[in-house]
Amino acid sequence: MPANRHKISYEVLNRHEALHYPPEFEVHATPEELQDFAASGYLIREQLFQGKALSRLQEATDRLDDAEGDRHRKHRPKDRSWGIILRHLMDKDPVFLELLKYPPVLSVCRAMMGPLVRLRGLTARISFPGAEVQETNWHQHMRVVSKPLPPWFSQPHAIDALIYLDDINDDTGPVCVVPGSHTWLDRHPDHQIFASIEGEKVLRVPAGSVVMIHGNLWHRAMPTLRKKRRMLILGYTPTWLRKSPHGGPPPADGLTAELLQDCDEETKELLGIGGYS
Ligand SMILES: O=C(O)CCC(=O)C(=O)O
Ligand SMILES: [Fe+2]
């Protein structure tokens, strides 16, 4: 086993027979990295995708952009936007479907949230210069925290792997996070704030890098000024949470519906069938 990995075994108590989960699995992280992730809310993996693995994702993203991007380009606001957001990627290209069980991300999700996890979604964000300013406001992905916190509130956890297909720098737009902000359950970022905020960390990483974040972490993407920028968001939650509501229902004839007709229990669980009792 490589030095930066370790094994975890979880027992799920009082479980239903049909439940699938790996009894023991190899986590692609050290125990110290997981502790840091729990405290800071983010974990950086530089150049996780390289060579052919990276170019296949870049090409699949470009194919999807060719197929669907124009529809979005026609309806852009004048002054500012997030760029182009494409959804339900696993339904649209087998290259994306390969990410469903990608161990460097999935094993960390299981180590942090328990063995029973499901896909929340796979989305692409493509931003480019020469148009309206393309950047994101400060935001977080899990928006359903009650204030005040009820005694039995279930905090929604999610991990979103931000997969960068281009170098992330001042030309394409760094990504910023506020370490520790995923634990702030009494506030949310003000709406439509694009400027720096106290405690932010500006991240610049080479193409193929992945930044895993807790879904509640405050983050933003800075403007894409000089070069096109492509990234994917691969998200997981515990099995008993629902998938992302964005983008409406998946295409009825998509690749995941086809896969579900004949697949193993793990695949079913990751795609949201079962996983609780
Ligand atoms: O483009 C990025 O670096 C982050 C994008 C983002 O936060 C989002 O689309 O939710
Ligand atoms: Fe985001």
Side-chain angles (χ1 to χ4, degrees):
M1 190 166 56
N4 53 357
R5 299 186 194 174
H6 69 292
K7 286 207 164 133
I8 295 189
S9 58
Y10 282 115
E11 188 186 346
V12 177
L13 303 178
N14 195 22
R15 75 188 171 100
H16 188 278
E17 282 309 306
L19 226 50
H20 163 87
Y21 68 94
E24 184 180 64
F25 60 100
E26 193 176 277
V27 186
H28 289 230
T30 64
E32 295 72 33
E33 285 174 323
L34 297 182
Q35 262 175 26
D36 286 351
F37 190 13
S40 69
Y42 72 102
L43 176 67
I44 301 177
R45 291 282 182 248
E46 290 218 347
Q47 293 180 295
L48 200 51
F49 294 92
Q50 297 184 13
K52 187 103 178 74
L54 176 59
S55 58
R56 289 178 81 232
L57 287 176
Q58 290 167 332
E59 285 158 19
T61 304
D62 289 345
R63 279 197 294 277
L64 195 61
D65 189 15
D66 287 345
E68 297 186 6
D70 275 354
R71 223 163 56 214
H72 300 261
R73 280 185 179 83
K74 278 193 192 119
H75 302 287
R76 288 208 325 269
K78 282 205 186 64
D79 52 346
R80 189 178 240 164
S81 84
W82 279 39
I84 290 177
I85 310 282
L86 305 171
R87 301 192 190 270
H88 300 306
L89 268 54
M90 285 192 194
D91 279 306
K92 298 175 179 173
D93 196 311
V95 171
F96 293 129
L97 198 49
E98 288 169 21
L99 292 176
L100 183 64
K101 297 182 185 175
Y102 181 61
V105 170
L106 182 56
S107 70
V108 170
C109 291
R110 285 186 167 136
M112 297 302 287
M113 299 189 291
L116 297 169
V117 297
R118 60 157 299 166
L119 181 73
R120 180 166 154 86
L122 180 66
T123 299
R125 173 173 181 256
I126 302 167
S127 52
F128 44 92
E132 78 285 1
V133 181
Q134 297 188 351
E135 63 185 326
T136 82
N137 52 315
W138 283 101
H139 65 282
Q140 47 189 177
H141 294 164
M142 304 301 285
R143 299 192 185 87
V144 289
V145 176
S146 311
K147 189 176 177 181
L149 279 182
W152 286 349
F153 181 66
S154 301
Q155 190 193 336
H157 292 290
I159 292 175
D160 292 309
L162 313 178
I163 303 175
Y164 290 102
L165 304 181
D166 292 292
D167 290 338
I168 293 303
N169 53 35
D170 294 335
D171 288 339
T172 53
V175 56
C176 304
V177 298
V178 182
S181 53
H182 62 303
T183 65
W184 301 344
L185 295 186
D186 59 346
R187 70 202 106 138
H188 56 189
D190 285 336
H191 198 48
Q192 298 303 335
I193 301 293
F194 294 82
S196 12
I197 60 175
E198 201 188 324
E200 80 173 356
K201 214 170 150 104
V202 182
L203 307 178
R204 298 174 179 85
V205 291
S209 301
V210 174
V211 180
M212 276 183 259
I213 61 170
H214 184 285
N216 225 27
L217 192 78
W218 294 28
H219 64 284
R220 66 161 172 152
M222 292 174 72
T224 297
L225 296 176
R226 284 174 287 273
K227 275 193 190 147
K228 182 169 157 179
R229 176 190 194 277
R230 298 162 292 182
M231 59 90 65
L232 307 174
I233 306 180
L234 173 63
Y236 293 88
T237 66
T239 49
W240 53 90
L241 286 179
R242 296 169 66 181
K243 66 170 180 274
S244 165
H246 302 295
D253 56 351
L255 299 180
T256 58
E258 192 184 313
L259 179 61
L260 276 171
Q261 288 174 10
D262 182 21
C263 67
D264 59 19
E265 290 303 313
E266 181 183 30
T267 306
K268 281 189 204 156
E269 199 159 285
L270 289 172
L271 290 176
I273 311 289
Y276 46 84
S277 57

